[in-house]
Amino acid sequence: MTHLNRSNPNPGGETRRDFIKKTAAAASFVATTNVLSLPASGQSNAGGIALVLDATDPLVQQPPVEWAVEQLREALRARGFATQSFAQLDQVPTDREIILVGGRGSGLVGQVLESAGAAVPDMPEALGLVRGKAGTRSVLLACGSDVRGLVYSLLELADRATYSEAPLAALGRIERIIEQSANPIRSIARLFTSEVEDKPWFYDKAFWRRYLTMLATQRFNRFNLTLGLGYNAPSNVPDSYFYFPYPFLLAVPGHNVSAGGLPDEERDRNLAMLRWIGEETVARGLHFQLALWTQAYHFIDSPDVNYPIVGLTPETHGAYCRDALTALLKACPAINGVTFRSHSESGIPQGSYDFWPMVFDGVARCGRRVEIDIHSKGIEHKLLGMALQTGMPVNVSPKYWAEHMGLPYHQTEIQEGERFKPVPGKTYSIEQQRSFTRYGYADYLREDRSYGVLYRVWPGTQRFLLWGDPATAAGYGRLAHFCGSVGLELCEPLSFKGRMGSGMAGDRNGYADASLRPAGGDWEKHLITYRLWGRLLYNPNADPDSWSRYFRTEFGPAARDCEAALAGASRVLPLITTAHLPSASNNGYWPEIVSNMPILGNRFAAVSAIDPGLFSSINEFADELVKGPRSGKYSPLEVANWLTALADGADAHLAKAYSLIAAPASPAFQRLAIDVAIQSGTGRFFAQKLRAGLAYALYQRLNDRTMLEQAVNYYRAARDNWKKIVQTATGVYQPDLTYGPERHLRGNWADRLPVIEKDLAAMEKLEPPAAVAMAEGDGRPSGTALLAAALASAAAPAPHPRCEHLPSISFRPGEPVAVEVAIEAGFNVTRARLHYRHVNQGEEHHVVDMAAQGNRYQHAIPGDYTKSPYALMYYFELHDGNGQAWLEPGLNADLANQPYFLVRPVR
């Protein structure tokens, strides 16, 4: 449990009780919906609601718990129900409904749990809402295993009161809810990357109160204020505000360093605001993390930088960073942890093993426990050892899916070019040797590690369109603690807006239609996104009502279809990212407003999946069709069909929602409907373009004129779908949505259409000479026949046999691991291959044929291979007598599972 700051959270002098009441009243984001402000019909206020706060329970007296009690009180008051607090149960009049508040260790709480036959786990952040008896009184118990667990139980009651038509009935239906956290860390990162776009929210205290309350309510337990990520590296920096953060926050004794042009008063205001944000964060029971991604003070090729750093030299740089960090941590005691980028993009050359121990020492010198979190790209284990030598807790934070968001599982393979394969005689930098760390967990999941592994989902895929898929969020919740990892940090919606000096004043959501801008601020468009991520990272098996009640409140009778439409549309971009990724960098690829890659010239067909172990590229699949054999990987045609099905489902539910919604012109519904239509249209565009790319690849291999005609037809359909997106977005979104200065990082959908038209026109003009037209009877299958068969197989795949496999619970390193799979009788499986590797993305899979014994296939992974500090992962490749192949266990219907087996060594 993170240490909670019990000091007065408001430096302005008001009492803690005044502060709690003030923040509760300010947390008005819950009132931006259609909730009634009076008791629902048939409900009686009677004698009011009694909140019994056990005065003997030290947990109840913790500031975050007192704050959460006030949130519940305010939520009930907003619905017309009076509350009164009591220190003892026998003080409560008999006509009151009773909510008993306490920790699981309280004697009174124990009575209620025993009467109900319930127990709250002795696990961090566990909560209980249990109806039972204390003595002769019937009570609703709100309890927790610790401060956060108790806070969550109270905020859950507040949320149910807010998002229920009949609050008392909603609370009355609670019999037993026991939950515990699946992931120790559930973090949101908010990025400051633009002075013009981000200063307004940074200084807005009303925003912070509502925003931080929302994070706690949705069960995030960490907030990361991220500075210094406005550029990929300290070069061409026009806007340096908070990029090298220290001079923008404080003057460091013994160092005459400043941000040129920044008034001292503004610098001091920044520090006071940072301190206040930290105090507000911990007052809600959240861990406050500060990310300092850049340590460079010299900005290359930046003659027009707005705030040059003055007073530093290479000789004084390290000592200044150390002393500034110590001073900052002492000035802001609510900071619980610091995040660093430690490879060369931080501005510090690779291998600077004098600099980083000095900076880490700056953390140690602050005199309290502060977590050190190190971004994983390009770093050696040696650097982690230096951080561990401080005695502070250390996490390494790899990317989950490079700089994008894919499906919830961790890649089976990384792209081949990212593995280090040295050429004799050449020398390589550390980052070249460790290029495989750009993708995911890399080689950091040693079972004997002394550090935590915290995944970070980067904002390359999803930036501003509304997202909300419970299945995907739950999948991440189940897999963010993969091999004992500690959880996940999400770069929130609108991250990187205005990055690299591209900021513009105005609405950060980019709405040209002012009526669509949320009244409470741009972030409120994404309330459902925060709700799904936070609650399903906490409990992947959460009751769907925890998000459905939000939809019911917003959309009434159309709620179910709004939820389903958004869920289906939200799965489109992660699927595209997983199956077809031209660039691992968020700077090179933005699928929300994708810049068209030409089909002509073979670039599009050559694009690999970010997981080439599970998905084939167009070129790979075309070669399989023409030459064989099949690999069993998911093909571009299967992906195209999935995208089409997701789009069809989203569009059907959206059409039904339009027929049911009481106010179709309402801003909330229009925001959802427009973004669903854009994401659905993007799915259709990519589906048709993947088909066009495959038809063109077959044309190239077989010189079959009909394949060129098919490619043109598919490409025209893709273009037509893009035109529909342009029509949907025109007048809704601004013509220039800026997430960077380059053309492919700004603009809108209309900008991309001419490039699509140009490539299509070039394809339409192709005229294969008669000499290369396919000769009849030459023995080769026609492209038409191959494509028709592949389309039919993808649309209606043959049933696969049921496979039975029971993974080992664990294994002993150095001993063989026996693997067996049994195939359902009656199916003609002719070959089974085992793909296995250590849970180390720097390694390739071993692929072996399994020995057949009837309908069973067996193989033993050798003891020499299991003698390793890593767990084992594996999956099966199966072939039948009809030339078909598939992978087991593969992906399930919602694409949210882990498509391989995992076995960890005995501890």
Side-chain angles (χ1 to χ4, degrees):
M1 167 59 66
T2 300
H3 173 71
L4 298 172
N5 185 352
R6 296 198 62 187
S7 63
N8 180 6
N10 182 8
E14 60 194 0
T15 66
R16 190 172 74 195
R17 181 71 67 185
D18 289 339
F19 161 79
I20 291 169
K21 290 181 177 179
K22 181 177 179 180
T23 56
S28 58
F29 76 93
V30 296
T32 63
T33 64
N34 302 323
V35 173
L36 298 175
S37 59
L38 295 173
S41 176
Q43 289 194 295
S44 171
N45 205 1
I49 298 172
L51 299 178
V52 178
L53 312 175
D54 186 353
T56 66
D57 186 349
L59 216 59
V60 173
Q61 300 171 40
Q62 292 293 313
V65 175
E66 292 182 330
W67 168 82
V69 167
E70 203 60 35
Q71 296 299 303
L72 174 57
R73 193 190 309 278
E74 177 62 23
L76 290 168
R77 186 208 61 77
R79 302 305 305 277
F81 298 102
T83 61
Q84 186 176 357
S85 294
F86 298 89
Q88 297 179 14
L89 190 62
D90 58 13
Q91 298 173 345
V92 181
T94 56
D95 62 344
R96 305 291 177 89
E97 296 287 339
I98 300 173
I99 298 175
L100 173 62
V101 180
R104 67 182 295 276
S106 160
L108 194 57
V109 167
Q111 287 182 39
V112 179
L113 291 173
E114 184 177 2
S115 75
V120 173
D122 186 16
M123 300 289 291
E125 303 183 346
L127 70 86
L129 294 171
V130 178
R131 192 165 299 281
K133 285 187 175 292
T136 60
R137 303 295 296 271
S138 178
V139 303
L140 175 59
L141 171 66
C143 68
S145 62
D146 54 19
V147 169
R148 284 193 184 128
L150 186 50
V151 166
Y152 294 156
S153 70
L154 291 163
L155 295 180
E156 176 67 13
L157 293 178
D159 194 68
R160 288 172 180 243
T162 299
Y163 291 101
S164 299
E165 185 177 355
L168 285 189
L171 300 186
R173 285 192 293 270
I174 296 173
E175 288 296 329
R176 180 185 302 180
I177 298 171
I178 306 289
E179 295 185 83
Q180 66 187 66
S181 172
N183 294 288
I185 296 178
R186 307 173 303 281
S187 180
I188 279 287
R190 187 174 184 88
L191 283 57
F192 188 112
T193 57
S194 166
E195 180 180 16
V196 66
E197 297 211 15
D198 297 331
K199 259 187 178 179
W201 58 256
F202 180 73
Y203 292 132
D204 186 349
K205 290 188 175 183
F207 151 73
W208 282 111
R209 292 187 179 102
R210 293 181 294 117
Y211 173 80
L212 293 171
T213 294
M214 179 274 296
L215 294 183
T217 300
Q218 305 314 335
R219 301 188 194 170
F220 292 101
N221 63 1
R222 176 177 296 215
F223 170 64
N224 187 330
L225 179 60
T226 300
L227 310 178
L229 197 48
Y231 299 85
N232 307 316
S235 176
N236 189 20
V237 178
D239 176 8
S240 67
Y241 209 94
F242 279 148
Y243 184 52
F244 180 55
Y246 309 119
F248 291 87
L249 293 166
L250 73 173
V252 181
H255 300 272
N256 187 21
V257 178
S258 64
L262 182 76
D264 291 351
E265 295 79 9
E266 185 170 339
R267 179 201 64 205
D268 296 344
R269 182 189 182 195
N270 288 342
L271 180 63
M273 195 67 209
L274 179 65
R275 183 188 301 116
W276 183 88
I277 293 167
E279 290 165 346
E280 291 282 323
T281 302
V282 300
R284 289 159 173 77
L286 294 160
H287 169 114
F288 181 47
Q289 190 83 4
L290 181 66
L292 306 170
W293 280 72
T294 297
Q295 303 296 318
Y297 68 92
H298 175 60
F299 310 137
I300 302 167
D301 297 327
S302 306
D304 299 321
V305 62
N306 51 359
Y307 299 99
I309 306 303
V310 179
L312 274 177
T313 67
E315 293 73 25
T316 61
H317 182 204
Y320 169 77
C321 291
R322 177 198 62 207
D323 296 345
L325 183 55
T326 302
L328 182 60
L329 292 173
K330 288 183 176 180
C332 300
I335 297 174
N336 302 120
V338 184
T339 297
F340 297 104
R341 170 171 54 179
S342 297
H343 66 286
S344 61
E345 291 174 9
S346 69
I348 306 303
Q350 58 188 15
S352 296
Y353 293 131
D354 293 329
F355 177 86
W356 286 110
M358 196 178 304
V359 171
F360 297 153
D361 185 47
V363 177
R365 290 184 179 194
C366 78
R368 68 177 190 280
R369 186 177 185 270
V370 174
E371 177 194 297
I372 296 174
D373 169 36
I374 304 175
H375 175 53
S376 70
K377 179 180 174 181
I379 67 167
E380 297 181 289
H381 288 267
K382 178 179 178 179
L383 187 71
L384 295 176
M386 292 175 174
L388 287 165
Q389 286 176 6
T390 64
M392 298 295 169
V394 174
N395 284 332
V396 62
S397 47
K399 301 166 183 175
Y400 204 113
W401 279 100
E403 294 181 2
H404 297 277
M405 187 177 94
L407 300 177
Y409 73 95
H410 298 272
Q411 295 159 275
T412 60
E413 294 276 10
I414 62 174
Q415 293 178 347
E416 186 62 26
E418 297 298 335
R419 286 200 184 88
F420 177 57
K421 294 185 176 180
V423 175
K426 289 189 66 175
T427 58
Y428 298 89
S429 68
I430 294 170
E431 289 174 29
Q432 288 173 322
Q433 295 174 44
R434 296 187 59 74
S435 60
F436 64 94
T437 60
R438 299 191 330 135
Y439 277 79
Y441 56 75
D443 61 353
Y444 297 114
L445 287 177
R446 295 176 59 102
E447 294 285 327
D448 58 355
R449 60 188 181 269
S450 301
Y451 50 83
V453 176
L454 171 66
Y455 300 104
R456 183 171 290 113
V457 175
W458 281 57
T461 297
Q462 202 89 27
R463 295 182 177 175
F464 69 96
L465 294 176
L466 185 61
W467 186 93
D469 178 23
T472 296
Y476 272 93
R478 293 185 182 97
L479 297 172
H481 51 273
F482 181 72
C483 278
S485 303
V486 297
L488 182 144
E489 180 169 281
L490 178 73
C491 293
E492 69 174 4
L494 303 178
S495 291
F496 287 171
K497 182 70 177 74
R499 194 168 185 249
M500 295 184 281
S502 66
M504 298 188 298
D507 175 56
R508 295 176 71 236
N509 275 309
Y511 284 120
D513 183 348
S515 70
L516 296 177
R517 297 171 187 169
D522 47 50
W523 63 284
E524 289 197 347
K525 167 182 173 174
H526 303 280
L527 286 175
I528 189 59
T529 306
Y530 293 106
R531 179 177 287 263
L532 287 171
W533 277 111
R535 287 173 176 267
L536 290 166
L537 285 173
Y538 176 84
N539 178 9
N541 300 311
D543 183 349
D545 185 67
S546 63
W547 60 85
S548 294
R549 59 179 176 254
Y550 173 87
F551 281 96
R552 290 195 300 270
T553 301
E554 285 284 0
F555 306 115
R560 183 173 298 179
D561 287 289
C562 286
E563 180 181 335
L566 182 60
S570 296
R571 211 170 297 168
V572 165
L573 293 177
L575 174 57
I576 292 169
T577 295
T578 305
H580 182 91
L581 191 74
S583 174
S585 169
N586 77 89
N587 302 298
Y589 186 59
W590 181 18
E592 272 184 327
I593 311 181
V594 70
S595 295
N596 193 59
M597 179 177 285
I599 292 178
L600 271 64
N602 199 40
R603 286 180 59 202
F604 185 73
V607 169
S608 168
I610 193 173
D611 182 2
L614 217 61
F615 293 87
S616 62
S617 70
I618 290 173
N619 277 343
E620 289 171 337
F621 185 58
D623 286 340
E624 287 183 22
L625 291 178
V626 174
K627 303 173 185 177
R630 296 294 291 272
S631 67
K633 297 178 185 180
Y634 294 111
S635 75
L637 288 185
E638 288 175 284
V639 173
N641 284 354
W642 293 345
L643 291 170
T644 300
L646 290 170
D648 286 347
D651 290 348
H653 282 291
L654 185 60
K656 190 172 180 183
Y658 265 110
S659 72
L660 295 173
I661 191 78
S666 69
F669 180 71
Q670 282 298 304
R671 288 193 294 266
L672 180 143
I674 290 163
D675 286 5
V676 164
I678 290 172
Q679 291 173 91
S680 169
T682 303
R684 294 187 189 282
F685 168 79
F686 269 99
Q688 298 289 33
K689 192 175 177 188
L690 288 170
R691 295 177 183 122
L694 178 61
Y696 186 75
L698 290 174
Y699 158 70
Q700 289 179 305
R701 284 158 176 77
L702 299 172
N703 298 321
D704 186 339
R705 185 191 305 270
T706 58
M707 286 298 89
L708 178 59
E709 294 169 355
Q710 285 276 53
V712 168
N713 289 336
Y714 284 132
Y715 210 171
R716 286 172 178 162
R719 183 270 319 273
D720 292 345
N721 278 297
W722 196 265
K723 283 185 173 180
K724 291 178 181 178
I725 296 174
V726 173
Q727 292 169 357
T728 299
T730 298
V732 174
Y733 285 104
Q734 296 168 359
D736 191 11
L737 300 167
T738 56
Y739 286 80
E742 291 89 357
R743 198 181 190 94
H744 62 277
L745 292 174
R746 64 189 307 162
N748 71 8
W749 297 269
D751 297 342
R752 278 48 170 178
L753 186 58
V755 180
I756 298 172
E757 297 275 22
K758 181 180 178 180
D759 192 41
L760 173 57
M763 183 183 287
E764 290 170 332
K765 291 177 182 177
L766 287 177
E767 283 292 341
V772 299
M774 172 165 278
E776 293 184 11
D778 68 355
R780 292 180 296 166
S782 71
T784 303
L786 288 174
L787 183 59
L791 286 168
S793 177
H800 294 159
R802 182 169 53 86
C803 298
E804 293 183 358
H805 170 66
L806 184 63
S808 300
I809 296 173
S810 60
F811 69 92
R812 293 188 180 279
E815 296 183 4
V817 174
V819 179
E820 179 180 278
V821 59
I823 310 298
E824 182 181 358
F827 285 84
N828 183 26
V829 171
T830 59
R831 187 185 190 190
R833 306 176 83 200
L834 177 67
H835 295 241
Y836 68 90
R837 70 165 168 85
H838 299 125
V839 180
N840 177 350
Q841 290 176 322
E843 299 182 10
E844 298 182 65
H845 274 85
H846 291 248
V847 184
V848 296
D849 281 293
M850 303 180 74
Q853 292 189 354
N855 69 330
R856 294 179 179 274
Y857 289 82
Q858 300 168 335
H859 183 78
I861 299 174
D864 287 347
Y865 191 80
T866 70
K867 191 175 182 180
S868 157
Y870 294 99
L872 294 172
M873 56 181 286
Y874 59 89
Y875 59 96
F876 305 106
E877 174 193 326
L878 303 177
H879 296 255
D880 67 13
N882 299 316
Q884 298 300 308
W886 64 97
L887 304 179
E888 289 286 344
L891 291 169
N892 61 15
D894 60 15
L895 309 178
N897 66 308
Q898 178 175 282
Y900 46 82
F901 300 100
L902 176 71
V903 186
R904 298 180 70 184
V906 172
R907 296 186 180 183

